[in-house]
Amino acid sequence: QVQLVESGGGLVQAGGSLRLSCAASGRTFSSYAMGWFRQAPGKEREFVARISSSGASTSSADSVKGRFTISRDNAKNTMYLQMNSLKPEDTAVYYCARASAAYAGTWDYWGQGTQVTVSS
């Protein structure tokens, strides 16, 4: 069973930065793509960024391009989301997820989420 645990959320002023972490259990972390999603109050969960199993390929939503950077450390079974120039509209619960394949696939496992609140 795969467990994903997010951390690093909190309250930050607009323009500030946060780094989220997602720690994964198991020995197969390096075999699967990973991703970040977020859900704001009253809205559907939306894609933020994804990274391939090796870390060589990444993609992100237009709304965070140039501000957020996804990365991973397979030796530590951990994925990160560096968030800079935060805006109030980035306020949401952020979730990490594991894909079913090395580059894409369905999102099979989810963490419990970490709250990010950006004040204006």
Side-chain angles (χ1 to χ4, degrees):
Q1 185 71 7
V2 175
Q3 288 189 320
L4 303 175
V5 180
E6 302 96 335
S7 61
L11 173 64
V12 64
Q13 288 189 331
S17 298
L18 282 174
R19 188 176 82 153
L20 304 184
S21 299
C22 173
S25 65
R27 293 179 288 180
T28 59
F29 178 77
S30 61
S31 298
Y32 298 93
M34 298 288 295
W36 286 100
F37 294 77
R38 67 186 182 186
Q39 186 168 20
K43 295 188 177 181
E44 293 188 353
R45 188 174 298 187
E46 65 174 0
F47 167 77
V48 175
R50 61 158 285 282
I51 187 166
S52 63
S53 59
S54 68
S57 173
T58 64
S59 64
S60 60
D62 288 343
S63 59
V64 306
K65 272 190 172 71
R67 300 188 299 122
F68 292 9
T69 301
I70 189 171
S71 62
R72 65 191 295 163
D73 184 339
N74 286 343
K76 295 183 178 180
N77 276 19
T78 302
M79 175 180 65
Y80 305 97
L81 185 68
Q82 178 66 44
M83 305 186 295
N84 299 328
S85 301
L86 282 161
K87 304 175 181 179
E89 51 263 44
D90 294 319
T91 295
V93 177
Y94 283 71
Y95 299 89
C96 66
R98 197 198 82 171
S100 57
Y103 285 90
T106 58
W107 298 101
D108 291 348
Y109 294 94
W110 294 84
Q112 83 290 347
T114 185
Q115 176 71 47
V116 171
T117 303
V118 184
S119 63
S120 57

